[in-house]
């Protein structure tokens, strides 16, 4: 769950793991897979990634293979982009 700056519970969603918000989105994990939520806690990219970066930078986040080598990057809505 995420907390507000005043220490109150921001939402009632539970995650296996989660990173801080960056550029208005957060990388979160449920049932062993990573996905993306927005600041309204809407799931904007489904839980489907095994390994993903910890946050967006310049609108993209890397998706890694099992050896943590970059496969490709995704945008806020999950669109795949090559770098």
């Amino acid at each position: 769950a995420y907390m507000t700056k005043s220490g109150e519970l921001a939402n009632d969603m539970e995650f296996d793991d989660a990173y801080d918000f960056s550029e208005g989105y957060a990388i979160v994990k449920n049932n062993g897979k990573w996905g993306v939520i927005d600041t309204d806690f809407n799931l904007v990219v489904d839980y489907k990634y095994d390994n993903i970066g910890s946050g967006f930078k310049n609108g993209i986040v890397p998706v890694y293979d099992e050896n943590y080598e970059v496969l490709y990057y995704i945008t806020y809505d999950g669109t795949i982009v090559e770098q």
Side-chain angles (χ1 to χ4, degrees):
Y2 284 91
M3 307 293 283
T4 64
K5 289 181 181 179
S6 62
E8 298 173 16
L9 194 61
N11 70 319
D12 59 358
M13 296 175 75
E14 295 286 327
F15 305 107
D16 298 340
D17 200 355
Y19 291 106
D20 291 336
F21 280 89
S22 62
E23 299 184 13
Y25 297 87
I27 309 299
V28 294
K29 188 176 194 178
N30 258 343
N31 297 318
K33 299 286 186 180
W34 293 95
V36 180
I37 60 170
D38 63 16
T39 54
D40 290 325
F41 302 100
N42 297 309
L43 184 66
V44 294
V45 177
D46 198 19
Y47 302 108
K48 62 183 178 180
Y49 298 103
D50 292 321
N51 301 304
I52 192 169
S54 60
F56 284 92
K57 183 175 180 181
N58 298 319
I60 58 175
V61 65
V63 174
Y64 300 107
D65 66 13
E66 63 276 358
N67 297 316
Y68 288 92
E69 294 187 22
V70 175
L71 291 171
Y72 50 85
Y73 295 81
I74 61 169
T75 63
Y76 306 128
D77 66 359
T79 302
I80 295 172
V81 294
E82 300 292 332
Q83 283 293 83

